[in-house]
Amino acid sequence: MSTVLRGYRVRPIDGEGGNLLAISDLHIGYPENRAIVERMRPETDRDWLLVAGDIGEIVDDIRWALETLAGRFRKVVWVPGNHELWTHPKDPVQLRGVARYDHLVSLCRELGVVTPEDPYPVWDGPGGPAVVAPLFLLYDYSFLPAGCADKDQGLAYAHETGVVCTDEYLLHPDPYPSREAWCRARVAETERRLAGLPDGLPVVPVNHYPLDRHPMDILRYPEFAMWCGTAATADWHRRFRVETMVYGHLHIPRTTWHEGVRFEEVSVGYPREWRKRPGQPGTLRRILPMEVKAGDGGTAPGVGGGRGEPR
């Protein structure tokens, strides 16, 4: 018998082999979201957990969450979201840009958590084998609002509407001259690594932002797409044998299929968002073995409208 989980059809499985599970956008600065992490548990002692960014803004909070999860799951894989990269005025750690990212990578290694700087692990449980590829790519303002020809026009339009991502004030690219320059460097290095993977194994990329623009089609504020990825990765799901693309950031948890490839948005989001949805907030999404087939996906009842509010 199938059951319904937040609008997704889930097929019961023999849990002895383990599950590749995913979550993102925990935002544990909210007490209600911190409580979600406190009660989060694996289904089996072989489960892996993919954390697709935006645990929080404060380094001590990020440490607490990753240490908690790493103590419960067989393996935890983390990628940074934009919130982890903020130099927040309330954070005692005032590192900026690459130095902040490097600090978080060091923290993860201390805890035994896999990062985009580590060798890509291979999931060999049910539904595998598959390469799990944690990515850190950022964005380059190439997802422009309709009628805008370049970044300057896009940002001017966003300021007119009042929909401006807080990254513009707190996410510093140092030592790169701009966030898009940092993005270009990350894309080039990541493309090189993915191209060097051995033939034969499917890939599960984990990135805070989707590799393709199609998930932004339902944003409430389309101009927010500028801070949601890069057109430079639009063909990666085809080029690199992608089994499932795992991402967050949009706060619109759902399954979509694009050119035969499954895209999973696995975010929790803010309490004001998840309170409107059916089901238990923070339910982990099973990536492998696959719990949905083509045609099963879509926005769950009560989910949608999209992101784009200033934050």
Side-chain angles (χ1 to χ4, degrees):
M1 176 183 292
S2 293
T3 58
V4 175
L5 172 63
R6 292 174 60 188
Y8 304 95
R9 192 163 55 199
V10 180
R11 293 185 296 280
I13 63 167
D14 178 0
E16 293 184 1
N19 305 283
L20 184 62
L21 304 169
I23 198 81
S24 76
D25 295 77
L26 294 166
H27 292 293
I28 65 168
Y30 292 90
E32 304 98 319
N33 285 32
R34 191 179 184 96
I36 288 172
V37 175
E38 288 174 338
R39 63 175 179 262
M40 194 173 287
R41 296 292 189 281
E43 297 177 14
T44 81
D45 61 5
R46 300 183 183 182
D47 290 357
W48 289 18
L49 181 63
L50 313 178
V51 182
D54 275 9
I55 292 172
E57 300 83 19
I58 309 300
V59 168
D60 281 349
D61 284 347
I62 298 166
R63 174 185 287 276
W64 172 83
L66 289 174
E67 187 171 23
T68 297
L69 296 172
R72 297 172 181 170
F73 290 82
R74 175 69 62 89
K75 189 183 293 291
V76 173
V77 178
W78 167 84
V79 301
N82 54 314
H83 282 240
E84 281 104 337
L85 298 174
W86 286 0
T87 305
H88 197 283
K90 294 183 178 180
D91 191 353
V93 179
Q94 286 291 295
L95 295 170
R96 294 163 58 111
V98 174
R100 184 174 181 85
Y101 173 61
D102 288 345
H103 180 76
L104 293 171
V105 168
S106 295
L107 181 158
C108 286
R109 288 176 172 167
E110 177 187 333
L111 299 174
V113 172
V114 179
T115 78
E117 305 311 306
D118 298 314
Y120 296 154
V122 175
W123 166 256
D124 59 3
V131 176
V132 176
L135 313 181
F136 169 37
L137 300 174
L138 279 170
Y139 52 84
D140 61 2
Y141 303 91
S142 53
F143 296 155
L144 290 167
C148 295
D150 55 29
K151 172 188 172 182
D152 289 342
Q153 287 187 14
L155 288 178
Y157 178 75
H159 280 279
E160 288 175 6
T161 64
V163 179
V164 179
C165 186
T166 305
D167 291 6
E168 294 298 312
Y169 312 103
L170 297 182
L171 202 166
H172 306 288
D174 312 18
Y176 291 94
S178 63
R179 283 176 285 276
E180 55 266 43
W182 193 5
C183 174
R184 286 193 293 270
R186 294 299 313 184
V187 167
E189 172 60 16
T190 305
E191 187 173 28
R192 182 193 65 78
R193 289 188 67 188
L194 291 174
L197 289 174
D199 293 336
L201 289 183
V203 180
V204 178
V206 186
N207 189 49
H208 188 58
Y209 312 101
L211 296 178
D212 182 77
R213 184 170 183 164
H214 81 271
M216 272 75 80
D217 290 346
I218 62 170
L219 287 177
R220 178 179 292 118
Y221 303 104
E223 55 270 39
F224 185 70
M226 287 189 294
W227 295 278
C228 293
T230 170
T233 62
D235 64 348
W236 283 20
H237 61 286
R238 298 191 306 272
R239 289 178 56 197
F240 298 123
R241 304 181 305 282
V242 170
E243 159 71 29
T244 300
M245 200 277 125
V246 178
Y247 69 101
H249 189 56
L250 304 184
H251 295 194
I252 310 173
R254 61 176 186 153
T255 305
T256 58
W257 294 81
H258 180 62
E259 298 180 333
V261 176
R262 173 186 171 208
F263 283 66
E264 286 283 2
E265 210 278 16
V266 298
S267 60
V268 175
Y270 303 132
R272 67 176 180 270
E273 296 167 326
W274 56 251
R275 286 193 190 103
K276 300 176 184 178
R277 302 172 188 149
Q280 182 71 22
T283 300
L284 301 176
R285 188 76 54 81
R286 192 168 70 235
I287 305 304
L288 291 175
M290 188 179 293
E291 65 183 31
V292 295
K293 293 182 177 180
D296 290 352
T299 304
V303 179
R307 288 273 293 243
E309 72 277 8
R311 72 201 193 288

